[in-house]
Amino acid sequence: MNITVIGRGRVGGAGRGLAQMWTAAGHTVTTLDRDAAGADVIIVAVPASAIAEALGKVTGLAGQVTIDTCNVFYGRPEGFSSLARHIKAITGGPTAKAFSTNFAALYGCVRHQLARPSNLFAADPKARTVTEQLSRDAGNDPVYVGFLDLGARLLEDGFAFTRAIAGDQGPCFSRYTGPEGL
């Protein structure tokens, strides 16, 4: 799969984060390309306040499958219920919200876990399959929390809960499973 990552930080940056995990899984990953037309999926991994500016510098986004990994620290752009909806308004393509409840500082430890950590995600139907695949390829079990319109907001609001746990015990993995997984 051809993946274009917009962002150089711990989440998507080249040589680390998701880009490194997906390259190891056999994907072709380009970071901060100015033309995303050849990508199968676009990953947005920038500060929430930089979404419009970062996407405004990239051509070939129209209609592309996009995964939003951004977190809300200081509010959402006016008129959007979630950062994912903001991204979707710019790209016009199927969108998912994923990898936003995982701690990037622990990406290098995922493969050493006895049980695969969960990756909670919300997605438009046409973005769901690719998000599930990339979750697995990053060493996580995908956990679908619903359609983008409701699920993305729930994940963004849940970010505060995830960070509160980390404030007490440090970055950690989450695992959600049915009784068969216990």
Side-chain angles (χ1 to χ4, degrees):
M1 185 179 311
N2 289 321
I3 304 166
T4 295
V5 178
I6 301 170
R8 293 184 189 212
R10 290 187 302 188
V11 174
R16 61 180 177 216
L18 294 171
Q20 182 178 23
M21 297 167 88
W22 290 327
T23 299
H27 298 290
T28 301
V29 180
T30 303
T31 55
L32 282 178
D33 197 356
R34 298 287 182 205
D35 182 7
D40 296 311
V41 63
I42 309 300
I43 309 299
V44 181
V46 299
S49 61
I51 288 171
E53 179 184 353
L55 293 179
K57 294 177 181 178
V58 180
T59 61
L61 292 174
Q64 294 275 35
V65 173
T66 306
I67 299 176
D68 162 27
T69 70
C70 307
N71 284 312
V72 175
F73 286 102
Y74 305 108
R76 295 169 185 87
E78 191 172 323
F80 296 100
S81 60
S82 68
L83 299 176
R85 291 295 301 164
H86 183 211
I87 289 169
K88 183 174 180 162
I90 295 169
T91 65
T95 304
K97 175 79 172 186
F99 303 103
S100 62
T101 59
N102 301 331
F103 288 90
L106 297 179
Y107 284 163
C109 302
V110 170
R111 68 180 179 274
H112 303 294
Q113 301 307 301
L114 295 176
R116 292 167 66 100
S118 296
N119 179 38
L120 303 176
F121 78 98
D124 289 327
K126 291 184 178 180
R128 184 173 176 173
T129 301
V130 70
T131 305
E132 289 172 338
Q133 180 66 48
L134 291 178
S135 293
R136 287 186 194 93
D137 291 346
N140 297 282
D141 281 338
V143 178
Y144 179 66
V145 300
F147 290 115
L148 187 70
D149 286 339
L150 176 61
R153 179 65 182 246
L154 290 172
L155 291 173
E156 289 175 8
D157 290 347
F159 168 76
F161 175 73
T162 302
R163 296 308 180 246
I165 292 170
D168 188 43
Q169 66 185 23
C172 56
F173 291 109
S174 297
R175 175 103 177 111
Y176 297 87
T177 185
E180 71 282 352
L182 298 176

